[in-house]
Amino acid sequence: MKQWWNNLTLRERRLVLSGGLALLLISLYHSIWSPLQQHLQTSREQVQQLQQQLDWMHQQAPLLQKMKQVAPAKELHTDIASALSVSSQHYQIMLKRVQPQGDTTQVELDSLSFAKLLSWLDMLEQRYGITVRQIELQPTDTAGNVQIKRLLLGRDGE
């Protein structure tokens, strides 16, 4: 290799060095810089989407506060399954499954609007004393709708 290098003219050596440098720069761009820029762009888009969801939830907060102000008498003696059945029909919410688990009840629902979910959960608390013990939500492709991945309901003192 050293002999080959020594046999090259000065112009050829410069050409080989500049080609090697160009090859090095191109490989660095494609292996480091380009993936980094793509990751940053994806992160920016995710932050923007999450910010929009947060803004929407902040817009829904007054609705939740308004619903909390209305406080009818609680029907604490109604069992949770019956309360869920009656209230879901009233709110036109499709219950997939209601599964009692000791002092709590796990509920499976179809996706629905976040505002309707909040309204229904607030009514359950205000009227029947049923509160959310655990909930996992996931946004859907439809704006304002959420997919309920896990909803665990119960009463205080049970």
Side-chain angles (χ1 to χ4, degrees):
M1 182 76 139
K2 192 173 186 180
Q3 183 181 4
W4 173 79
W5 181 258
N6 289 332
N7 288 338
L8 296 176
T9 64
L10 181 60
R11 182 175 180 219
E12 290 172 336
R13 287 181 190 170
R14 287 182 182 163
L15 187 59
V16 168
L17 283 175
S18 60
L21 182 61
L23 186 60
L24 176 67
L25 291 174
I26 289 170
S27 64
L28 285 175
Y29 174 81
H30 284 291
S31 64
I32 296 173
W33 185 257
S34 181
L36 180 63
Q37 291 301 313
Q38 289 175 349
H39 179 70
L40 286 173
Q41 181 63 29
T42 303
S43 296
R44 285 185 190 112
E45 290 170 1
Q46 287 176 341
V47 166
Q48 184 179 17
Q49 183 182 23
L50 291 172
Q51 184 63 46
Q52 288 172 349
Q53 288 177 359
L54 179 64
D55 292 342
W56 181 82
M57 287 183 185
H58 282 299
Q59 291 172 356
Q60 299 302 314
L63 174 65
L64 182 61
Q65 293 299 327
K66 182 180 176 184
M67 290 187 309
K68 282 188 175 185
Q69 292 172 355
V70 179
K74 290 186 180 180
E75 298 177 29
L76 298 175
H77 300 294
T78 306
D79 66 285
I80 294 177
S82 297
L84 293 175
S85 177
V86 170
S87 64
S88 66
Q89 289 174 5
H90 181 265
Y91 279 81
Q92 297 176 343
I93 295 173
M94 176 61 87
L95 298 177
K96 286 184 179 178
R97 183 170 69 163
V98 177
Q99 181 179 0
Q101 296 179 340
D103 63 341
T104 60
T105 301
Q106 184 168 343
V107 181
E108 288 185 26
L109 306 168
D110 284 330
S111 65
L112 68 148
S113 79
F114 184 70
K116 184 186 276 192
L117 176 65
L118 284 180
S119 178
W120 181 59
L121 292 174
D122 185 60
M123 185 279 304
L124 287 174
E125 182 178 1
Q126 298 299 321
R127 187 168 179 185
Y128 299 103
I130 299 170
T131 58
V132 175
R133 298 288 175 90
Q134 188 175 23
I135 189 168
E136 292 178 37
L137 302 175
Q138 181 177 353
T140 63
D141 294 335
T142 307
N145 280 7
V146 291
Q147 175 67 44
I148 297 88
K149 297 191 71 85
R150 179 174 171 83
L151 177 58
L152 199 60
L153 301 170
R155 283 197 174 110
D156 292 333
E158 281 191 14

